[in-house]
C-alpha cells in the first residue's frame, strides 16, 4: 500500500515505514548477501533469496519466517509475484526460471531454454493471460504460457544482459505490448500478439532498471 518498503542490508532485510523511516522489522539473514527481494502484491508476504541459495518467505506484518526453501542449484537473481499474489517466480544463474505456489510451497513450473543466466522476469498484469516473460544475460527475451507450460515466443534484439521487463497495461493497447531494457543502451517495444518488435528507443546509457508510468 506504499506505507512500507523492504531494503536489503547485506545479509538481512529491513522493513521500513516510509513516513517516519522507522525500521519496523529486521529479517535476519544467513551470513550470505541478499541476491533478490520482492513483496507480494497484497502486502502480506516478503520474499528473499541469498547467495547461499536459500529462499525465505516472511510474514510482512509480524516479521516472522513462514518458510525456507532451495529454489535453484545456483543463486537466485530475481524474484517476482503474480497479480493474484498466489505465484512466485525465481530466476537463476542456472539458466532457468521456476514458478512456485506461494501458500503450499511447491514448484508449479520449471522453464528452461535460455542460453545464459536468467536475469529478470515479469508476469502479465492481467491474471487471465497466464503468461510469464523472462530475460537473460545474452539479451534474449522469452514468453512462456503457464497454461500450456511451454515457450510461446522468443524475442531477440538486445545485445547485452536484459535488466527489466514490463507490460505497460495503463497505456492504450498496453496489455498487448511488452517493454524491455538492457545494458545495450536501448529500450525495445514488442507486440505480444505477433511477438515482433514495434519500436526501439535509444537511451544512450546502460539501463539497469525501468518503470512504466501510467499516462
Amino acid at each position: 500500500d506504499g506505507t512500507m518498503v523492504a531494503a536489503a542490508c547485506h545479509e538481512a532485510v529491513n522493513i521500513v515505514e516510509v513516513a517516519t523511516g522507522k525500521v519496523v522489522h529486521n529479517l535476519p539473514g544467513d551470513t550470505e548477501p541478499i541476491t533478490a527481494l520482492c513483496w507480494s502484491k497484497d502486502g502480506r508476504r516478503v520474499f528473499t533469496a541469498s547467495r547461499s541459495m536459500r529462499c525465505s518467505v516472511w510474514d510482512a506484518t509480524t516479521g516472522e519466517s513462514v518458510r525456507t526453501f532451495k529454489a535453484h542449484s545456483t543463486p537466485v537473481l530475481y524474484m517476482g509475484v503474480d497479480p493474484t499474489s498466489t505465484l512466485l517466480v525465481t530466476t537463476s544463474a542456472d539458466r532457468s526460471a521456476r514458478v512456485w505456489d506461494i501458500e503450499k510451497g511447491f514448484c508449479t513450473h520449471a522453464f528452461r531454454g535460455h542460453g545464459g543466466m536468467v536475469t529478470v522476469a515479469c508476469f502479465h498484469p492481467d491474471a487471465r493471460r497466464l503468461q510469464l516473460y523472462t530475460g537473460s544475460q545474452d539479451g534474449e527475451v522469452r514468453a512462456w504460457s503457464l497454461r500450456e507450460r511451454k515457450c510461446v515466443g522468443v524475442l531477440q534484439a538486445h545485445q547485452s544482459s536484459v535488466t527489466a521487463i514490463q507490460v505497460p497495461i495503463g497505456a492504450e493497447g498496453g496489455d498487448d505490448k511488452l517493454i524491455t531494457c538492457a545494458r545495450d543502451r536501448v529500450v525495445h517495444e514488442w507486440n505480444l500478439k505477433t511477438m515482433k518488435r514495434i519500436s526501439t528507443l535509444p537511451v544512450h546509457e546502460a539501463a539497469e532498471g525501468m518503470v512504466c508510468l501510467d499516462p
Side-chain angles (χ1 to χ4, degrees), residues 113-139:
H114 282 291
M117 296 187 296
V118 185
T119 53
V120 68
C122 171
F123 286 102
H124 197 288
D126 182 349
R128 297 169 298 181
R129 296 284 286 264
L130 288 174
Q131 284 196 335
L132 175 72
Y133 312 101
T134 57
S136 68
Q137 187 185 36
D138 62 7

Side-chain angles (χ1 to χ4, degrees), residues 32 44 61 65 74 102 124 131 159 164 179 192 197 199 202:
E32 292 290 339
R44 295 177 56 241
T61 303
S65 175
T74 57
I102 290 175
H124 197 288
Q131 284 196 335
Q159 303 301 311
I179 309 294
L192 289 177
R197 184 170 33 153
S199 64

Side-chain angles (χ1 to χ4, degrees), residues 160-173:
S160 63
S161 183
V162 180
T163 55
I165 303 174
Q166 289 203 10
V167 177
I169 199 164
E172 182 178 354

Side-chain angles (χ1 to χ4, degrees), residues 12 47 84 97 109 111-112 125 128 144 165 184 204:
F47 306 89
T84 66
H109 302 75
F111 293 127
R112 291 187 174 274
R128 297 169 298 181
W144 308 88
I165 303 174
D184 57 5
H204 308 294

Side-chain angles (χ1 to χ4, degrees), residues 8 19 31 44 47-48 55 76 95 97 106 114 124 137 155 190 207 209:
T31 74
R44 295 177 56 241
F47 306 89
T48 62
C55 295
V76 171
R95 304 182 182 183
F106 64 87
H114 282 291
H124 197 288
Q137 187 185 36
L155 315 179
W190 306 86

Side-chain angles (χ1 to χ4, degrees), residues 5 16 21 34 54 116 127 132 143 163 170-171 178 184 201:
V5 63
V16 181
I34 296 295
R54 188 180 81 175
L132 175 72
T163 55
L178 193 70
D184 57 5
L201 174 67

Side-chain angles (χ1 to χ4, degrees), residues 9 20 33 36 51 67 81 104 151 154 156 167 177 180 213:
C9 303
T20 65
R51 197 166 60 187
R67 183 187 308 112
V81 178
K104 297 180 180 179
C151 179
V154 179
Q156 295 178 317
V167 177
K177 295 178 181 178
T180 62
L213 302 177

Side-chain angles (χ1 to χ4, degrees), residues 15 24-28 38-40 42-48 56-67 102-103:
I15 297 181
V24 179
H25 299 296
N26 175 268
L27 312 181
C38 74
W39 207 307
S40 66
D42 60 12
R44 295 177 56 241
R45 296 284 187 262
V46 174
F47 306 89
T48 62
S56 300
V57 184
W58 305 87
D59 186 308
T61 303
T62 66
E64 297 296 322
S65 175
V66 176
R67 183 187 308 112
I102 290 175
E103 288 303 316

